[in-house]
């Protein structure tokens, strides 16, 4: 899978002819909703867990020095909490560009806070994409985040904004909160 997934995502036709589509956001899409949406609701998806295992060459790092951002990896027992947005299908156009560094639109079931459910879309970066970095010790991930910058700003802001948004929504995420602790501890030393 090449670095730029825009063209691939344009071929996704599962929701053609729908007036609106639910989009599940679990990373920057939780705290940076700079796109038009009709409605938003906290939601979760089952069987996936959030990990800082995806490289960012276009937003929070560069080709030479990629940052780290989140993707979802399979975990049958996990529930990933995030924010769902009901959007017009035309909004996928700018979103495909924003999420072009390895993320693919995938159909998912999501559950809202009141227990009701909907089918929608999540942007997933799989292991076979060119920007995949994979697992590493948390101290190493935090160090990489601490030093990375890209066109959208410092990588640390991505992590801290995500942690703050999850805290505000009262969602626990041990991986994110532990990286936040590591990062802040590192920054306190230097
Ligand atoms: C998402 O937020 O749902 C996808 C990953 C990202 O853009 O940070």
């Amino acid at each position: 899978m090449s670095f730029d997934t825009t063209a691939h995502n344009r071929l996704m036709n599962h929701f053609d002819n729908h007036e609106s589509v639910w989009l599940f956001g679990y990373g920057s899409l939780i705290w940076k909703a700079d796109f038009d949406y009709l409605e938003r609701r906290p939601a979760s998806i089952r069987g996936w867990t959030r990990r800082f295992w995806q490289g960012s060459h276009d937003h929070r790092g560069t080709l030479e020095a990629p940052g780290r951002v989140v993707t979802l990896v399979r975990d049958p027992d996990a529930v990933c909490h995030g924010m769902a947005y009901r959007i017009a299908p035309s909004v996928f156009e700018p979103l495909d560009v924003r999420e072009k560094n390895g993320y693919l639109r995938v159909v998912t079931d999501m559950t809202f806070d009141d227990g009701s459910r909907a089918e929608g879309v999540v942007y997933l970066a799989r292991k076979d994409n060119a920007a995949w970095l994979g697992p590493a010790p948390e101290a190493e991930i935090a160090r990489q985040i601490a030093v990375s910058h890209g066109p959208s700003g410092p990588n640390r802001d991505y992590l801290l904004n995500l942690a703050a948004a999850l805290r505000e929504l009262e969602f626990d995420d041990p991986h994110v909160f532990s990286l936040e602790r590591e990062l802040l501890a590192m920054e306190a030393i230097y």
Side-chain angles (χ1 to χ4, degrees), residues 27-101:
S28 68
L29 291 176
I30 297 181
W31 53 268
K32 193 175 179 189
D34 60 355
F35 50 89
D36 290 332
Y37 58 86
L38 303 161
E39 182 184 355
R40 83 168 150 185
R41 298 171 68 181
S44 61
I45 62 175
R46 187 166 284 282
W48 295 98
T49 194
R50 182 169 20 231
R51 288 287 179 264
F52 271 83
W53 291 1
Q54 176 66 2
S56 178
H57 303 83
D58 57 343
H59 285 297
R60 302 286 165 175
T62 60
L63 262 184
E64 300 72 35
R68 274 189 182 255
V69 290
V70 287
T71 184
L72 296 179
V73 295
R74 275 270 179 228
D75 178 348
D77 299 327
V79 174
C80 177
H81 294 277
M83 187 62 80
Y85 301 86
R86 195 162 62 80
I87 59 172
S90 58
V91 177
F92 281 117
E93 236 171 84
L95 285 175
D96 285 346
V97 173
R98 170 172 164 171
E99 303 296 327
K100 69 182 186 313
N101 201 40

Side-chain angles (χ1 to χ4, degrees), residues 4 34 40 56 69 97 106-107 116 145 147:
D4 190 336
D34 60 355
R40 83 168 150 185
S56 178
V69 290
V97 173
V106 173
V107 177
S116 62
I145 291 173
V147 299

Side-chain angles (χ1 to χ4, degrees), residues 99-136:
E99 303 296 327
K100 69 182 186 313
N101 201 40
Y103 293 88
L104 293 178
R105 282 195 236 159
V106 173
V107 177
T108 184
D109 277 322
M110 59 189 89
T111 306
F112 301 110
D113 274 6
D114 63 1
S116 62
R117 295 168 69 163
E119 190 181 57
V121 168
V122 61
Y123 281 95
L124 264 184
R126 296 185 320 214
K127 220 182 179 142
D128 62 356
N129 85 86
W132 174 264
L133 293 177

